[in-house]
Amino acid sequence: MSKVLIIGGGIVGLSSAYYLHKKGYEVTVLDKGDVADNCSFGNAGMIVPSHFVPLAAPGMISQGIRWMFNSKSPFYVRPGLNLNLVNWGLKFVKHATSKHVEQSAEPLRDLSLLSKKLYEDLSKESGFNFELTNKGILAFYKTEKAGEEEAHLAEKANELGLDMAVLDAAACKALQPELELDVLGAVHYRCDAHLYPGKLMQDLLRYLEQNDVKIVRNKEVDRIESDLNRITKVFTGSDVWEADEYVLATGSWSPAVAKMVNLNISLMPGKGYSFMESEPKNRVTIPALLCEARVAITPMNGSIRYGGTMELDKINTRINMQRVKGIVQSVPKYFPDLKPDLPAEDKIWYGFRPSSPDGLPYIGRSAQKKNLIVATGHGMMGLSLGPATGLLVSQIIAEQPTEIKIDAFSIR
Ligand SMILES: Cc1cc2nc3c(=O)[nH]c(=O)nc-3n(C[C@H](O)[C@H](O)[C@H](O)COP(=O)(O)OP(=O)(O)OC[C@H]3O[C@@H](n4cnc5c(N)ncnc54)[C@H](O)[C@@H]3O)c2cc1C
């Protein structure tokens, strides 16, 4: 049976390993870390068919500029001479149009719905217990302006066959009776779900290792050898790895790895923070998005996970406490009796969303290196889109018809 080497053990790499293993391939996953804390672990756990509008959308640029001048705002770009950022920014601007939003809606919806269905299937398999919960997400707003935007989103969603409902404050209270609310209303993204990402990753790793998929930790790919149109060898220091097919699933590090085969992938790491606080009263039963503050709140494993911010910068280990304060202070503005403490620095998790400039993932076979499949750039939706991406990767490698059309995700 053919051998596949997957570079990167995040949700995209592990999902690809899962479906390739099911098809009978001999699979090895290489990761530069110990696969215990990449971006796929500490995220908000939201499964979001509701997110059919890509990040590159009209209005994002002016909103982004306004946020830049507030140290506690949810968005930040480090100014400076970063050529990658400049190129990425130009592409982002080019795509922030209504036409792009229109063209992206159906491909994103189809990828998301496929993934949600695959999560439902996976949750029924023995050994998988990652708390998949189908209660939707409540997107709360405090201002008329955000309310109008959300109502417009709900209308579009319903046209696309996605279940969303506009709720006034009383209807919100009926859904979250234990929580004091100070909101105008919410849109209930009923089509969405949530899960516990750390548990999902552990379940996947256990399943793969018990089924003879090799997970090789702490091996960083630092060189790739290829002939004119095929990869021949991958190096991690002095170790050499050979396979028939290679999958590039290295999240925010993908541009550096792609460069090893002279492939340009436009991607910026979008750093975000999260922290957990125990919640014995169990007041939050449905995950929440705070629309104006761009904060995500997810009940998880008897606690609440708070997450947010998007910092476009080089990959770094700095924790910007002002941004975390921004998350903490925004919560009681919507829920007056929910007052998370500012966490100590060592309790704050951060991860890098692999953000493509058009807001769509890259999924497909490379035109230059015929045995290379690229699967990255899932931005704010990588957890949601992981299983569908993995299934598509396995179908591309097996040369089977893909479950959904993938032209919109082409790396070209
Ligand atoms: C605060 C926050 C909240 C989020 N909330 C959500 C959410 O609610 N829903 C959702 O769908 N998404 C969410 N996301 C986004 C989601 O977490 C990411 O899109 C997703 O985890 C990306 O997965 P990945 O597999 O592409 O990358 P990663 O999980 O980053 O995995 C990439 C792996 O590649 C490895 N690697 C890199 N370079 C090399 C190399 N040279 N050699 C070997 N290995 C290498 C890395 O070590 C890493 O393990 C959130 C993100 C953040 C930051």
Side-chain angles (χ1 to χ4, degrees), residues 7-13 30-33 38-40 43-46 48 219-221 249-253 257 260 270 272-274 307-308 349 351-354 376 378-385:
I7 313 173
I11 185 62
V12 174
L30 292 182
D31 200 288
K32 70 182 177 67
N38 52 36
C39 193
S40 305
N43 60 62
M46 295 180 170
V48 286
K219 294 277 179 195
E220 178 163 358
V221 171
T250 40
S252 286
W253 294 264
V257 181
M260 296 177 199
Y273 300 101
S274 77
W349 174 90
F352 300 95
R353 305 173 184 90
T376 188
H378 295 72
M380 320 193 320
M381 300 181 283
L383 178 79
S384 285
L385 304 178

Side-chain angles (χ1 to χ4, degrees), residues 59-74:
M60 274 311 288
I61 296 159
S62 53
Q63 176 68 74
I65 291 169
R66 281 198 296 277
W67 274 331
M68 285 276 300
F69 295 102
N70 175 355
S71 65
K72 289 183 191 157
S73 77

Side-chain angles (χ1 to χ4, degrees), residues 31-89:
D31 200 288
K32 70 182 177 67
D34 57 2
V35 202
D37 194 25
N38 52 36
C39 193
S40 305
F41 280 82
N43 60 62
M46 295 180 170
I47 306 305
V48 286
S50 57
H51 285 38
F52 57 87
V53 177
L55 191 62
M60 274 311 288
I61 296 159
S62 53
Q63 176 68 74
I65 291 169
R66 281 198 296 277
W67 274 331
M68 285 276 300
F69 295 102
N70 175 355
S71 65
K72 289 183 191 157
S73 77
F75 180 71
Y76 175 71
V77 181
R78 179 172 287 271
L81 251 187
N82 177 346
L83 256 188
N84 285 341
L85 176 61
V86 172
N87 286 332
W88 186 95

